[in-house]
Amino acid sequence: NAGVTQTPKFRILKIGQSMTLQCTQDMNHNYMYWYRQDPGMGLKLIYYSVGAGITDKGEVPNGYNVSRSTTEDFPLRLELAAPSQTSVYFCASSYGRAGTEAFFGQGTRLTVV
Amino acid sequence: KQEVTQIPAALSVPEGENLVLNCSFTDSAIYNLQWFRQDPGKGLTSLLLIQSSQREQTSGRLNASLDKSSGRSTLYIAASQPGDSATYLCALGDGSSNTGKLIFGQGTTLQVKP
């Protein structure tokens, strides 16, 4: 059981570069989420999706984009990377509506220099 | 706006001690509350999930309680071990939308000394 898989695990970007963080889940979950975690802080929601073709903004969406073309995959795109986007990014999924358990990937540690 | 607070931010205890981690929230309209464990440089591992209609959940040496009326949840760890050292996060299922979004506290970093 792979669960939620994120790639890459680590990445260093230069200011202004772009990249895509990959997330895939094999649990046939409808709901998927991207969170970021800054040092000493809890996680904050960037974007989420309730099914293929449906995405919506979370608390901190600026500077990011997402797409959901399949149930399994939910990539997060960073355009024009900025130092403020240095963080650890977590992808998560859950089976359905609120009240169901969320499962998290191992995270992507991103540094923008 | 829902706010989640975890106190203390850090805790150090000797091995074998029973301990309680606290999580408080400002709005009782929640779907559920989930406790996670996070090891340094790792992802989040779900420990316990309490639905809004439940009062507590138990798994091994862990017991989590939920009191919506007072806006509190506690995670009780019995007979702590050095392997319990980690950061513990509580997260609420956002009651304002049926989307499974989670609102996190800042976490409590626990160190259990041998």
Side-chain angles (χ1 to χ4, degrees):
Chain A
N1 251 357
V4 179
T5 302
Q6 293 182 235
T7 56
K9 289 185 170 54
F10 304 94
R11 183 71 184 268
I12 298 175
L13 277 183
K14 293 184 178 179
I15 295 172
Q17 287 185 323
S18 300
M19 77 165 293
T20 299
L21 282 65
Q22 301 292 344
C23 175
T24 187
Q25 52 91 9
D26 63 358
M27 296 174 282
N28 200 32
H29 284 171
N30 290 320
Y31 289 41
M32 295 188 74
Y33 314 86
W34 276 105
Y35 293 89
R36 61 176 286 175
Q37 184 180 33
D38 298 320
M41 304 293 288
L43 281 70
K44 293 187 177 180
L45 183 65
I46 305 171
Y47 269 96
Y48 66 99
S49 170
V50 299
I54 306 170
T55 63
D56 205 350
K57 296 177 180 179
E59 185 181 0
V60 289
N62 292 343
Y64 307 95
N65 278 300
V66 294
S67 60
R68 184 94 182 271
S69 57
T70 67
T71 299
E72 296 78 18
D73 301 308
F74 190 39
L76 177 71
R77 177 81 177 165
L78 277 71
E79 304 283 1
L80 299 174
S84 61
Q85 293 178 304
T86 294
S87 189
V88 181
Y89 292 83
F90 289 100
C91 179
S93 71
S94 65
Y95 179 71
R97 56 176 172 77
T100 55
E101 187 176 7
F103 296 86
F104 281 75
Q106 292 298 299
T108 295
R109 187 174 297 274
L110 176 67
T111 302
V112 181
V113 297
Chain B
K1 179 184 174 184
Q2 177 77 270
E3 293 184 2
V4 183
T5 304
Q6 292 186 247
I7 295 174
L11 182 63
S12 181
V13 301
E15 181 177 5
E17 190 163 301
N18 301 325
L19 59 100
V20 173
L21 305 181
N22 296 296
C23 174
S24 61
F25 48 95
T26 56
D27 188 342
S28 62
I30 66 172
Y31 280 105
N32 61 12
L33 187 144
Q34 199 164 352
W35 281 94
F36 293 91
R37 170 184 172 136
Q38 184 176 28
D39 292 292
K42 302 293 185 182
L44 279 68
T45 300
S46 179
L47 297 173
L48 290 164
L49 171 69
I50 310 176
Q51 301 294 347
S52 62
S53 59
Q54 298 174 321
R55 297 283 291 184
E56 66 177 347
Q57 283 286 337
T58 298
S59 176
R61 294 183 293 109
L62 305 179
N63 175 275
S65 68
L66 174 63
D67 184 345
K68 287 198 306 179
S69 61
S70 66
R72 292 190 62 190
S73 175
T74 61
L75 179 66
Y76 175 82
I77 302 177
S80 59
Q81 303 170 358
D84 294 329
S85 298
T87 296
Y88 292 82
L89 295 159
C90 71
L92 306 182
D94 184 6
S96 66
S97 66
N98 192 15
T99 57
K101 294 186 289 185
L102 295 175
I103 302 170
F104 281 83
Q106 301 94 327
T108 294
T109 299
L110 172 66
Q111 182 184 30
V112 181
K113 296 180 179 180

